[in-house]
Amino acid sequence: PDEFVAGRGVLPSGSGPENPMNTQQQLRLLQAIANAGLFRGITKTQALSVLSASTLKSYSTKTRVYSEGSNADEMLILLCGKLQLVGPSGKLMHGIHPGHTVGDFEVLAGATHPADVIATTTSRGLAIGVNTLREMFKADPEMELVVLRNAMSACAGVMKKTSARPPEVAERAVAA
């Protein structure tokens, strides 16, 4: 069916710049956007705006997607594959699966990436540049409000999880 299911990829093999998307592929991407982290709850029109402003990016296994300390100039909605946050000591911190975003909080906060992000399998995602996102928010303040509410909800969820854990476990959860 057309419904996006977190944990499964949304791009069929063979889709890409050389093979334009058909209507069904576009619908699946729109659903993936509307169900992904920060964008959960946006309208179909808003999801189309995000899709139109996004760039499809592919990463081979072991490719560094983002580097710790680098400026967050884009965020990524992972469509297929798997990414891993890797801490300064090389410790694997958190896996990112299809349907999730990475770099989103750094983009919203104007911050740098707190960890390396490495593709652990061949992966594809929709990248949205920080300036593009700002322009979309300027044109559609309602979408910005939805995104910021989702960001605050995610932060509250992390705080709730960490407040019930011993301090050393809580520190690891916040880093993830």
Side-chain angles (χ1 to χ4, degrees), residues 4-173:
F4 177 76
V5 178
R8 292 180 30 204
V10 297
L11 288 179
S13 61
S15 64
E18 65 285 349
N19 298 319
M21 286 184 282
N22 63 34
T23 303
Q24 184 178 14
Q25 291 167 330
Q26 187 177 24
L27 285 172
R28 291 177 76 190
L29 288 174
L30 291 173
Q31 289 172 340
I33 291 166
N35 289 325
L38 287 185
F39 296 105
R40 188 167 289 117
I42 64 173
T43 67
K44 290 178 185 177
T45 302
Q46 292 167 331
L48 185 57
S49 175
V50 172
L51 179 59
S52 298
S54 300
T55 303
L56 184 62
K57 290 194 170 183
S58 297
Y59 304 94
S60 56
T61 304
K62 297 184 182 179
T63 299
R64 185 181 311 272
V65 177
Y66 301 126
S67 297
E68 178 186 3
S70 66
N71 289 331
D73 55 2
E74 69 176 26
M75 62 170 286
L76 188 75
I77 301 171
L78 186 61
L79 300 172
C80 61
K82 184 178 177 188
L83 306 177
Q84 186 77 43
L85 273 90
V86 181
S89 64
K91 182 177 180 181
L92 301 180
M93 295 169 42
H94 182 71
I96 300 154
H97 301 277
H100 295 273
T101 54
V102 64
D104 44 359
F105 287 96
E106 295 83 6
V107 163
L108 289 174
T112 59
H113 292 287
D116 289 340
V117 178
I118 308 293
T120 56
T121 65
T122 300
S123 302
R124 292 175 108 181
L126 292 173
I128 306 160
V130 64
N131 292 329
T132 301
L133 195 60
R134 287 181 186 146
E135 289 300 316
M136 284 193 306
F137 289 165
K138 190 183 286 185
D140 188 347
E142 184 63 32
M143 179 170 45
E144 181 179 25
L145 184 60
V146 169
V147 167
L148 293 176
R149 282 183 180 157
N150 287 336
M152 293 304 295
S153 178
C155 287
V158 168
M159 291 178 72
K160 184 176 179 181
K161 282 185 209 176
T162 58
S163 66
R165 297 179 181 180
E168 66 279 358
V169 174
E171 288 173 13
R172 287 195 305 267

